[in-house]
Amino acid sequence: MKKILVTGATGQIGSELIPALRSAYGGANVVAAGYRRSPDAELFGGGPYCSLDVRNAALLCEIVQKYHIDTIFHLASLLSAVAERNPQLAWDINMHGLNNILETARLNGCAVFFPSSIGVFGSGTPRKNTPQVTIQRPDTLYGISKLTGELLCDYYHRRFGVETRGLRLPGLISYKTPPGGGTTDYAVEIFFAALTEGTYCCFLKPDTRLDMMYMPDAIHAIISLMEADGGKLNHRNAYNVTAMNFTPEELAAQIRLSIKEFSIRYEVDAVRQAIADSWPQFMDDSAARNEWGWSPCYDLAATASDMLENIAVKLGKKGDGYYGVE
Ligand code: SER
């Protein structure tokens, strides 16, 4: 990777992946392309920034050629709950966007990273220790678009030799940029609510178990996969990866170890509950561990104390170890 383009730059992953890539490869070598949200000063000032709707193939190609891009991290996508509200738009952005990226990569010799998701599984898939290779009949438009994306990435690799690689990411927990429209968003919202209101109203049932990961592990996974020896990648599109799994009531109990008065109540959103009920409770990620050395650093306790610390600082409250658990 020498010249990199990141789409979806202003999103939850992009806003943290870009600074990491810029510090590894140099600010001028990482072009950030966003569309729906305005870039912050770090994204805008740390290297090239451009506005790009990934459905605009001509502009995409122009940017790739202008900056001599050799690797594209294609993050632009609608998440699961938003996609269920507007399936036609989700198909348009998620599928036509990816198709444009793969065609541009084929014509310009670029490698492509594609973030797949736990959403590629469905109610017919084993939900416990979900295998790397198993039944994939997703129930949501988001899952259908991500599964089609996995297949299309495999096709471009097999047929045209495009260096495509992907991860089936679980719910991502982070404090810098909100996720915006996913089923696992509760696991981010709850931390902000704990520090501002002392209470949180959760849209999933208390015992809904899902796979999760803290953002530093996700960034490490994405970069490690793209740097891995391609000869060892048997499941390139895409690898199950996870770091922890928990339910809303377990997360609330973890937060209460730091904020004793914190309370949670439940107003279940039927759409998001149905989505969560069709996803794995925990995946088997041994293929990622064996083929390219995946190993997460953050468990639930480490994630919770780091989230509370950093959000407290962001909100101008106590930080400096105050929310750590003894
Ligand atoms: N976090 C995503 C969502 O909830 C799953 O990939 O939509």
Short mmCIF file of all heavy atoms in Angstrom, two decimals, residues 12 78-81 116-119 142 146 169-172 179 181-185 275 279, ligand 1:
data_model
loop_
_atom_site.label_atom_id
_atom_site.label_comp_id
_atom_site.label_asym_id
_atom_site.label_seq_id
_atom_site.Cartn_x
_atom_site.Cartn_y
_atom_site.Cartn_z
N GLN A 12 -18.14 6.05 10.98
CA GLN A 12 -17.62 5.55 12.26
C GLN A 12 -16.23 4.93 12.09
O GLN A 12 -15.32 5.20 12.87
CB GLN A 12 -18.58 4.51 12.85
CG GLN A 12 -18.20 4.07 14.27
CD GLN A 12 -18.96 2.84 14.73
OE1 GLN A 12 -19.58 2.12 13.93
NE2 GLN A 12 -18.92 2.57 16.03
N LEU A 78 -24.75 1.96 3.72
CA LEU A 78 -25.82 2.19 4.70
C LEU A 78 -25.86 1.00 5.65
O LEU A 78 -25.76 -0.14 5.23
CB LEU A 78 -27.19 2.33 4.02
CG LEU A 78 -27.47 3.58 3.17
CD1 LEU A 78 -28.97 3.72 2.94
CD2 LEU A 78 -26.92 4.85 3.79
N LEU A 79 -26.06 1.27 6.95
CA LEU A 79 -26.12 0.19 7.96
C LEU A 79 -27.51 -0.45 8.01
O LEU A 79 -28.46 0.01 7.37
CB LEU A 79 -25.71 0.73 9.32
CG LEU A 79 -24.22 1.05 9.50
CD1 LEU A 79 -23.96 1.59 10.89
CD2 LEU A 79 -23.35 -0.17 9.26
N SER A 80 -27.62 -1.50 8.84
CA SER A 80 -28.78 -2.39 8.78
C SER A 80 -30.14 -1.75 9.04
O SER A 80 -31.09 -1.97 8.27
CB SER A 80 -28.59 -3.54 9.77
OG SER A 80 -28.39 -3.04 11.07
N ALA A 81 -30.27 -0.94 10.10
CA ALA A 81 -31.60 -0.40 10.43
C ALA A 81 -32.03 0.64 9.41
O ALA A 81 -33.18 0.66 8.96
CB ALA A 81 -31.59 0.19 11.84
N SER A 116 -17.43 -6.52 5.28
CA SER A 116 -18.66 -7.28 5.36
C SER A 116 -19.13 -7.23 6.81
O SER A 116 -18.64 -6.40 7.59
CB SER A 116 -18.44 -8.70 4.86
OG SER A 116 -19.70 -9.37 4.79
N SER A 117 -20.04 -8.11 7.19
CA SER A 117 -20.72 -7.92 8.48
C SER A 117 -21.30 -9.23 9.00
O SER A 117 -21.58 -10.15 8.22
CB SER A 117 -21.83 -6.90 8.25
OG SER A 117 -22.81 -6.96 9.25
N ILE A 118 -21.59 -9.24 10.32
CA ILE A 118 -22.39 -10.32 10.90
C ILE A 118 -23.76 -10.39 10.23
O ILE A 118 -24.44 -11.40 10.32
CB ILE A 118 -22.57 -10.18 12.43
CG1 ILE A 118 -23.04 -8.77 12.81
CG2 ILE A 118 -21.29 -10.51 13.14
CD1 ILE A 118 -23.38 -8.61 14.30
N GLY A 119 -24.13 -9.32 9.52
CA GLY A 119 -25.42 -9.28 8.82
C GLY A 119 -25.51 -10.24 7.65
O GLY A 119 -26.60 -10.46 7.12
N TYR A 142 -29.66 -5.14 4.12
CA TYR A 142 -28.26 -4.87 4.45
C TYR A 142 -27.43 -6.16 4.30
O TYR A 142 -26.39 -6.19 3.65
CB TYR A 142 -28.18 -4.34 5.88
CG TYR A 142 -26.79 -4.15 6.42
CD1 TYR A 142 -25.99 -3.11 5.98
CD2 TYR A 142 -26.30 -5.00 7.42
CE1 TYR A 142 -24.72 -2.93 6.51
CE2 TYR A 142 -25.03 -4.81 7.95
CZ TYR A 142 -24.25 -3.78 7.48
OH TYR A 142 -22.99 -3.61 8.01
N LYS A 146 -24.43 -7.08 1.69
CA LYS A 146 -23.08 -7.44 2.15
C LYS A 146 -22.69 -8.84 1.64
O LYS A 146 -21.54 -9.07 1.26
CB LYS A 146 -23.01 -7.40 3.68
CG LYS A 146 -23.04 -5.97 4.25
CD LYS A 146 -21.76 -5.22 3.91
CE LYS A 146 -21.74 -3.81 4.46
NZ LYS A 146 -20.57 -3.03 4.05
N LEU A 169 -17.36 -7.93 10.05
CA LEU A 169 -17.21 -7.19 11.30
C LEU A 169 -18.45 -7.34 12.17
O LEU A 169 -19.58 -7.35 11.66
CB LEU A 169 -16.97 -5.71 11.01
CG LEU A 169 -15.63 -5.39 10.33
CD1 LEU A 169 -15.62 -3.96 9.82
CD2 LEU A 169 -14.46 -5.63 11.29
N PRO A 170 -18.26 -7.44 13.50
CA PRO A 170 -19.40 -7.45 14.41
C PRO A 170 -19.78 -6.01 14.75
O PRO A 170 -19.31 -5.07 14.10
CB PRO A 170 -18.80 -8.16 15.63
CG PRO A 170 -17.36 -7.78 15.62
CD PRO A 170 -16.97 -7.58 14.17
N GLY A 171 -20.62 -5.79 15.76
CA GLY A 171 -20.94 -4.44 16.20
C GLY A 171 -19.67 -3.74 16.65
O GLY A 171 -18.88 -4.31 17.40
N LEU A 172 -19.46 -2.51 16.17
CA LEU A 172 -18.23 -1.78 16.52
C LEU A 172 -18.53 -0.71 17.56
O LEU A 172 -19.47 0.08 17.40
CB LEU A 172 -17.61 -1.15 15.28
CG LEU A 172 -17.09 -2.15 14.24
CD1 LEU A 172 -16.45 -1.41 13.06
CD2 LEU A 172 -16.11 -3.14 14.84
N PRO A 179 -22.10 5.55 14.94
CA PRO A 179 -22.29 4.63 13.83
C PRO A 179 -23.41 5.06 12.86
O PRO A 179 -23.25 4.97 11.67
CB PRO A 179 -22.63 3.29 14.49
CG PRO A 179 -22.90 3.58 15.92
CD PRO A 179 -22.34 4.93 16.25
N GLY A 181 -27.26 4.30 12.49
CA GLY A 181 -28.28 3.50 11.82
C GLY A 181 -28.09 2.01 11.84
O GLY A 181 -28.69 1.30 11.02
N GLY A 182 -27.31 1.48 12.77
CA GLY A 182 -27.13 0.04 12.85
C GLY A 182 -27.95 -0.57 13.97
O GLY A 182 -28.55 0.14 14.79
N THR A 183 -27.96 -1.90 14.03
CA THR A 183 -28.69 -2.64 15.06
C THR A 183 -27.86 -2.74 16.33
O THR A 183 -28.40 -2.87 17.43
CB THR A 183 -29.03 -4.04 14.51
OG1 THR A 183 -29.79 -3.84 13.32
CG2 THR A 183 -29.80 -4.88 15.50
N THR A 184 -26.54 -2.66 16.19
CA THR A 184 -25.65 -2.76 17.35
C THR A 184 -25.33 -1.38 17.96
O THR A 184 -24.53 -1.29 18.89
CB THR A 184 -24.34 -3.47 16.95
OG1 THR A 184 -23.77 -2.77 15.84
CG2 THR A 184 -24.59 -4.91 16.54
N ASP A 185 -25.95 -0.32 17.45
CA ASP A 185 -25.64 1.05 17.92
C ASP A 185 -25.89 1.24 19.41
O ASP A 185 -25.32 2.14 20.03
CB ASP A 185 -26.50 2.10 17.18
CG ASP A 185 -26.18 2.21 15.70
OD1 ASP A 185 -25.52 1.30 15.17
OD2 ASP A 185 -26.60 3.20 15.08
N ILE A 275 -33.89 -8.06 13.51
CA ILE A 275 -32.58 -8.13 12.84
C ILE A 275 -31.58 -8.83 13.78
O ILE A 275 -30.89 -9.78 13.39
CB ILE A 275 -32.07 -6.71 12.46
CG1 ILE A 275 -32.97 -6.08 11.40
CG2 ILE A 275 -30.62 -6.79 11.96
CD1 ILE A 275 -32.62 -4.62 11.07
N TRP A 279 -29.08 -12.66 13.71
CA TRP A 279 -27.61 -12.59 13.60
C TRP A 279 -26.94 -13.53 14.61
O TRP A 279 -27.56 -13.92 15.60
CB TRP A 279 -27.14 -11.16 13.87
CG TRP A 279 -27.41 -10.21 12.73
CD1 TRP A 279 -27.95 -10.52 11.52
CD2 TRP A 279 -27.15 -8.80 12.72
NE1 TRP A 279 -28.05 -9.38 10.74
CE2 TRP A 279 -27.57 -8.31 11.46
CE3 TRP A 279 -26.62 -7.90 13.64
CZ2 TRP A 279 -27.45 -6.98 11.10
CZ3 TRP A 279 -26.51 -6.56 13.28
CH2 TRP A 279 -26.91 -6.11 12.03
N1 SER B 1 -23.04 -2.78 13.15
C1 SER B 1 -23.75 -3.15 11.95
C2 SER B 1 -25.19 -2.86 12.07
O1 SER B 1 -25.70 -2.95 13.16
C3 SER B 1 -23.55 -4.59 11.65
O2 SER B 1 -22.59 -4.76 10.68
O3 SER B 1 -25.82 -2.60 11.09
#
